[in-house]
Amino acid sequence: MTPIAFTQDMLAVLLILGLTIYFFVSEVVRVDVAALIILILIGVTGVVPATEIFDGFASNAVISIIAVMIMGGGLDRTGIMTQLASRILRIGGRTEKRIIPIISGTVGVISSFMQNIGAAALFLPVVSRISVRAEIPLSRLLMPMGFSAILGGTMTMVGSSPLILLNDLIANANARLPAGVEPMAAFHLFSVTPIGMTMLIGGIVYFMLLAPRLLPDTHEATADTASTAKYFEDRYGVNGMMFEATVPADSALVDKTIRDAENAKGNVWILAIRSGRETVLEPPMDYTIPAGSTLALMGEAEQVEEFAESTGLPLATNLEVFLETLNPSHSGISEIVIPPASEMAGRTVRELQMRKNYGIQVLAIRRREETITHDISQVSIEEGDTLVLHSDWEDLHRLAQNRSVVVVTNYPHEVVRPNRVYHALGFFLLAIGLALFSDMRLSLALLTGAVGMIASGVITIDEAYQSVGWQSVFLLASLLPLGIAVDTTGTAAWIAQITLQAMGDVPIWVLQLALAALATGFTLLMSNVGATVLLVPLAINIALGAGGDPAVFALVVALAASNSFIIPTHQVNALIMGPGGYRVADFMRAGGFMTLLFLAILIPMVNLIF
């Protein structure tokens, strides 16, 4: 190999690289701001031509990631992901060894088509509910779920930012390959699926076998929904326990109204009723209960049991029929305050017909130091009263538009559009089909699906803007020129030459392992996008110098950029740390072994498949 001379452009690029690493590790500024500073420095120093400096914002990778985020937001708006999760989780029973693989496998598959953080956030309330019902500490379930969301991102070329970015980096490198070297082929959507699937299965098995020893058993750690429930119980005496019961033909409730049923036993509320295919949340007081219908009841366990015994109801403590309807992501308990000059002041709850007009159940009224829970329908509301409610979040959102109340509780504001499920699925499958079976660029194929969802009303244009993680977009677009600079100035080739000289004559897999370990370290200290942009050009040049396949070496880096388990720097790990009650030491213990397992699967599988 002809020795590569060190140049002033290389020095400039190395200085910028050092500054980039300093910004990301020290976090003196946000990572997207740091990336914009680096972009300006690259332009000012001239290491990348001024005509190419902003090409990242129009790159295939950036448009693809925007489209994936919009489609993920669209699917979420239909509620299809939560429905899928709830139905699959019904078969999990109450044992940790059954629940962990079901949760982990489902979130992993979903994460392969949407951003890791989106999949994890979608499952957080579902896992919280399962934790309560199965009496399994949340800390035993959240880390397997979170790690599986990260692993699922390695199953397709749109599952994680590094893999979305990879083909762009390969295309840039192809334009500058030495004479006689064949251009690298782009990877297809499912090129990495065997590797990612193996890693996901390995992660699930890992937690099934070692979870009892590695995961903390923190009963005191609660998710936001659990802590909110405790707050309402302590302050108002409103217990959020929910039960299910199917009304037999000989029950005393048959043909009775909801008002008559609730008056039969104080502080037991009928939250929902399902008759045939119709489900009614917060049914009106004059709704008649038919035989064979299923009721969702809430109240103190002892009072609900007495109610069930006196009315001839077979009681079940596990929600099955209403698992989706009463999911914390869709409904829950909240507080509203009656402000001065409110139109509701001076009227009783019965006169307001809260259930009929707003779909809202009033559970308690707080008036100064007194909490009223009995005969609420007869109570005349006063200014300054606090009303404790149970409702669907969409109904609460509609009530919040009324100036007669002030909603105190923080609740999910997203509007769910179940009537757009088939539109969302259709455009999602269209995008995947175009990516797989046509010559259309991935970005255009994915954008077709995203725009189709917007045009068909699955998601509004404003919601689409909100669903895009603009920090990730600017980070990706601003760092792409840095990868070009590392390649075009010869910096990557020079570092590769030094590396190969230092390592000597070693097997190809050893070089791949070293690159994977380096990518893992960079990912922990900086963003996975930054690690990919910096190391892919280096990996390609090392492969060329060692006689390996440069595309495979680049893929090793892009996959290893998801190996982020040891410390909670990854967005998913940061999301689950608080609700799970985890400490950094918990991530180091469970994540340390997971990191080694990731590398142990990655290198053999890459060489087996490619």
Side-chain angles (χ1 to χ4, degrees):
M1 179 187 297
T2 304
I4 299 173
F6 191 75
T7 66
Q8 286 186 345
D9 282 348
M10 291 182 190
L11 176 61
V13 170
L14 287 174
L15 290 174
I16 293 174
L17 278 175
L19 184 62
T20 303
I21 295 171
Y22 167 73
F23 277 151
F24 285 168
V25 172
S26 66
E27 296 183 341
V28 292
V29 293
R30 272 179 33 166
V31 291
D32 49 342
V33 176
L36 285 168
I37 293 173
I38 297 304
L39 176 68
I40 298 301
L41 287 176
I42 292 171
V44 170
T45 55
V47 291
V48 170
T51 54
E52 299 177 19
I53 196 69
F54 298 115
D55 285 359
F57 288 92
S59 67
N60 182 65
V62 168
I63 301 302
S64 295
I65 200 170
I66 290 173
V68 166
M69 289 176 176
I70 292 174
M71 286 198 296
L75 289 170
D76 193 20
R77 284 292 189 279
T78 66
I80 187 172
M81 294 301 188
T82 307
Q83 291 178 34
L84 174 63
S86 298
R87 290 181 181 180
I88 292 177
L89 290 172
R90 286 178 188 173
I91 66 174
R94 301 171 68 89
T95 63
E96 192 173 315
K97 286 193 174 181
R98 287 186 62 187
I99 291 175
I100 284 179
I102 293 172
I103 292 175
S104 300
T106 306
V107 76
V109 171
I110 291 175
S111 183
S112 67
F113 289 104
M114 63 189 298
Q115 291 295 293
N116 305 155
I117 185 66
L122 180 67
F123 267 71
L124 183 56
V126 179
V127 176
S128 299
R129 174 61 61 87
I130 295 298
S131 169
V132 173
R133 293 299 171 195
E135 298 181 347
I136 299 173
L138 198 54
S139 59
R140 312 285 287 183
L141 302 177
L142 276 187
M143 193 175 288
M145 183 274 287
F147 282 13
S148 294
I150 297 174
L151 291 170
T154 64
M155 290 176 58
T156 70
M157 293 299 293
V158 297
S160 66
S161 298
L163 289 173
I164 292 175
L165 178 61
L166 181 60
N167 281 333
D168 272 26
L169 294 173
I170 286 177
N172 289 333
N174 278 339
R176 299 169 182 87
L177 288 175
V181 177
E182 291 188 9
M184 293 172 281
F187 291 97
H188 299 294
L189 184 62
F190 294 109
S191 294
V192 294
T193 300
I195 302 170
M197 189 174 295
T198 303
M199 287 199 281
L200 177 60
I201 293 171
I204 293 172
V205 173
Y206 165 72
F207 276 114
M208 289 178 65
L209 296 178
L210 299 179
R213 299 180 183 178
L214 296 175
L215 296 176
D217 191 358
T218 53
H219 288 271
E220 71 278 10
T222 57
D224 289 342
T225 51
S227 59
T228 300
K230 188 176 187 306
Y231 164 76
F232 283 112
E233 183 173 6
D234 292 345
R235 183 170 175 82
Y236 302 108
V238 173
N239 185 287
M241 291 189 66
M242 286 180 278
F243 305 81
E244 254 182 25
T246 299
V247 182
D250 59 352
S251 170
L253 293 180
V254 174
D255 295 332
K256 293 288 183 64
T257 64
I258 297 293
R259 178 181 292 108
D260 292 336
E262 290 187 349
N263 287 340
K265 186 68 179 178
N267 291 4
V268 174
W269 298 282
I270 299 176
L271 299 183
I273 183 168
R274 182 172 179 83
S275 179
R277 295 185 176 182
E278 181 188 32
T279 299
V280 181
L281 185 63
E282 319 300 352
M285 298 300 285
D286 56 358
Y287 192 101
T288 302
I289 303 172
S293 60
T294 303
L295 307 179
L297 308 173
M298 186 173 77
E300 293 281 354
E302 183 177 343
Q303 292 182 336
V304 173
E305 288 169 1
E306 290 179 8
F307 175 79
E309 184 177 352
S310 64
T311 55
L313 294 180
L315 202 61
T317 56
N318 288 327
L319 293 183
E320 292 185 3
V321 174
F322 299 104
L323 182 62
E324 170 63 22
T325 305
L326 298 177
N327 188 294
S329 64
H330 288 169
S331 62
I333 302 175
S334 60
E335 289 172 293
I336 65 171
V337 173
I338 306 301
S342 169
E343 295 178 357
M344 292 187 177
R347 303 174 66 185
T348 66
V349 173
R350 173 175 287 184
E351 289 172 343
L352 290 171
Q353 298 187 67
M354 298 287 281
R355 295 176 80 153
K356 185 174 183 178
N357 294 332
Y358 300 102
I360 285 174
Q361 168 73 54
V362 181
L363 306 177
I365 299 175
R366 179 80 170 183
R367 180 170 298 163
R368 292 176 286 279
E369 300 300 319
E370 179 188 8
T371 299
I372 304 169
T373 56
H374 295 281
D375 298 324
I376 292 177
S377 63
Q378 305 300 323
V379 176
S380 180
I381 295 173
E382 297 180 5
E383 295 177 359
D385 282 355
T386 298
L387 276 59
V388 182
L389 317 172
H390 185 280
S391 67
D392 181 276
W393 298 133
E394 188 173 346
D395 290 331
L396 182 63
H397 187 59
R398 281 197 294 269
L399 178 63
Q401 310 308 309
N402 189 331
R403 294 186 179 182
S404 296
V405 304
V406 175
V407 178
V408 179
T409 306
N410 186 27
Y411 65 98
H413 291 65
E414 292 81 1
V415 177
V416 179
R417 304 184 181 94
N419 59 322
R420 290 289 186 268
V421 167
Y422 294 112
H423 298 79
L425 281 177
F427 283 110
F428 175 76
L429 294 175
L430 173 64
I432 299 301
L434 290 173
L436 286 175
F437 305 114
S438 74
D439 295 330
M440 190 178 292
R441 293 190 74 187
L442 178 64
S443 55
L444 184 56
L446 296 176
L447 195 59
T448 300
V451 173
M453 288 190 186
I454 295 170
S456 62
V458 174
I459 184 172
T460 68
I461 187 65
D462 290 330
E463 290 168 345
Y465 289 141
Q466 293 169 7
S467 67
V468 175
W470 294 107
Q471 180 180 3
S472 299
V473 170
F474 273 84
L475 176 67
L476 185 61
S478 300
L479 286 182
L480 271 172
L482 179 59
I484 295 173
V486 170
D487 195 13
T488 57
T489 60
T491 307
W494 181 79
I495 296 175
Q497 176 180 272
I498 300 299
T499 303
L500 290 173
Q501 289 175 354
M503 295 189 69
D505 189 15
V506 296
I508 292 294
W509 70 267
V510 174
L511 292 173
Q512 293 173 344
L513 181 60
L515 282 168
L518 189 61
T520 299
F522 270 54
T523 297
L524 294 173
L525 297 176
M526 57 195 297
S527 74
N528 54 5
V529 170
T532 305
V533 167
L534 297 182
L535 295 179
V536 164
L538 175 62
I540 290 172
N541 280 275
I542 287 178
L544 293 174
D549 186 334
V552 172
F553 273 59
L555 179 63
V556 166
V557 168
L559 287 170
S562 292
N563 193 10
S564 183
F565 306 104
I566 297 179
I567 53 178
T569 52
H570 193 284
Q571 286 180 314
V572 171
N573 293 338
L575 174 72
I576 65 175
M577 188 173 184
Y582 298 121
R583 301 167 301 165
V584 174
D586 297 322
F587 281 98
M588 294 182 70
R589 181 172 58 253
F593 288 109
M594 186 71 244
T595 298
L596 296 176
L597 179 63
F598 189 104
L599 295 174
I601 295 174
L602 172 62
I603 302 304
M605 283 299 299
V606 164
N607 286 283
L608 178 65
I609 300 299
F610 297 101

